[in-house]
Amino acid sequence: MVLLQIAQDTTAISSGAEGSLSIIDLVFAGGPVMIPIALLSILAIYFFIERLLVINKANQDPDAFMGRVKELVLRGDINGAKLLCSQNDTPIARMIEKGISRIGSPLKTIETSIENVGKIEIFKLEKNLSTLATIAGATPMIGFLGTVMGMVQAFIAISQEEGSVSPKLLSSGIYTAMITTVAGLMVGIIAYLAYNFLVTRVQKVVHKMEYTSVDFIDLLQEPR
């Protein structure tokens, strides 16, 4: 009977919450643990937008650029090829510029120089992605911590009650404590999806960088 009464009171509280409680009210009901969750959600949005803009800028089609580079290199206009690379603010252009500056050196030296620049560019592209992954993993745990803390407070309040415990007091304490878990899971899931989306975009850029570097090395080996 007690369990049935608790379930009925919980349903009544939920119905009342749907009718009167706004999202802001629910956020405040979650307590102080909602503050780090909110801050982490803002950071996740910032890192996602910032990285997306950087990666999209780097993810340009290199075919037209490489066509111009090939034309200039085959004509022997090395300075013109360097100038063209400097005018393109992309990882691929910086790799090719380094390779052009090493023309005349052994082929292995040129390959190594391009690879080193490529590693630096990949590191720049992946900046803050690990932080986004950390947010995706940490926010659900913070939310669960808030729930545990809320449950402890609810049971302390119950232990201080004299006589019979009101099922309404128990159910209201539980639903308030669960808010932090819901918030943490929502932020964590969104951050996880954002992280994997950005990782996929970075991999596409890396593939273009590898393809372009091989294409440039092949250009240097063409008979002139």
Side-chain angles (χ1 to χ4, degrees), residues 8-65:
Q8 291 173 347
D9 287 339
T10 303
T11 303
I13 291 172
S14 300
S15 300
E18 291 176 359
S20 60
L21 289 180
S22 65
I23 295 178
I24 301 297
D25 295 328
L26 291 174
V27 169
F28 281 109
V33 177
M34 294 295 291
I35 296 175
I37 293 177
L39 292 176
L40 289 175
S41 67
I42 294 172
L43 284 176
I45 294 172
Y46 169 77
F47 287 141
F48 174 73
I49 295 176
E50 186 267 339
R51 282 295 91 193
L52 183 62
L53 293 176
V54 171
I55 294 170
N56 284 344
K57 183 179 179 181
N59 191 28
Q60 298 179 8
D61 189 0
D63 290 341
F65 167 73

Side-chain angles (χ1 to χ4, degrees), residues 52-114:
L52 183 62
L53 293 176
V54 171
I55 294 170
N56 284 344
K57 183 179 179 181
N59 191 28
Q60 298 179 8
D61 189 0
D63 290 341
F65 167 73
M66 283 304 298
R68 288 285 296 139
V69 169
K70 288 180 181 180
E71 179 183 346
L72 292 170
V73 171
L74 291 176
R75 284 198 336 229
D77 188 2
I78 304 301
N79 291 329
K82 288 182 180 179
L83 180 61
L84 177 64
C85 292
S86 64
Q87 292 172 347
N88 286 267
D89 187 19
T90 62
I92 290 176
R94 286 186 282 272
M95 288 172 55
I96 300 305
E97 183 178 10
K98 176 62 70 173
I100 293 173
S101 67
R102 294 289 187 269
I103 289 179
S105 302
L107 196 59
K108 185 63 178 177
T109 301
I110 299 176
E111 290 180 358
T112 303
S113 299
I114 293 176

Side-chain angles (χ1 to χ4, degrees), residues 4 14 43 46 57 78 84 90 99 107 116 118-119 129 134 144 150 161 165 168 170 178 180 186 191 193 199 214:
L4 180 60
S14 300
L43 284 176
Y46 169 77
K57 183 179 179 181
I78 304 301
L84 177 64
T90 62
L107 196 59
N116 291 337
K119 291 176 182 178
L129 288 186
T134 301
F144 182 68
E161 286 288 316
V165 177
K168 183 176 181 180
L170 178 61
M178 292 298 293
T180 57
M186 289 177 61
L193 294 175
V199 167
V214 171

Side-chain angles (χ1 to χ4, degrees), residues 126-181:
E126 293 178 343
K127 179 184 177 184
N128 292 330
L129 288 186
S130 59
T131 304
L132 188 59
T134 301
I135 293 174
T139 45
M141 291 188 288
I142 294 174
F144 182 68
L145 174 62
T147 295
V148 173
M149 293 171 60
M151 294 292 289
V152 170
Q153 293 174 353
F155 282 114
I156 290 175
I158 290 171
S159 67
Q160 293 174 347
E161 286 288 316
E162 295 181 359
S164 60
V165 177
S166 170
K168 183 176 181 180
L169 174 64
L170 178 61
S171 59
S172 63
I174 291 175
Y175 102 86
T176 301
M178 292 298 293
I179 291 174
T180 57
T181 293

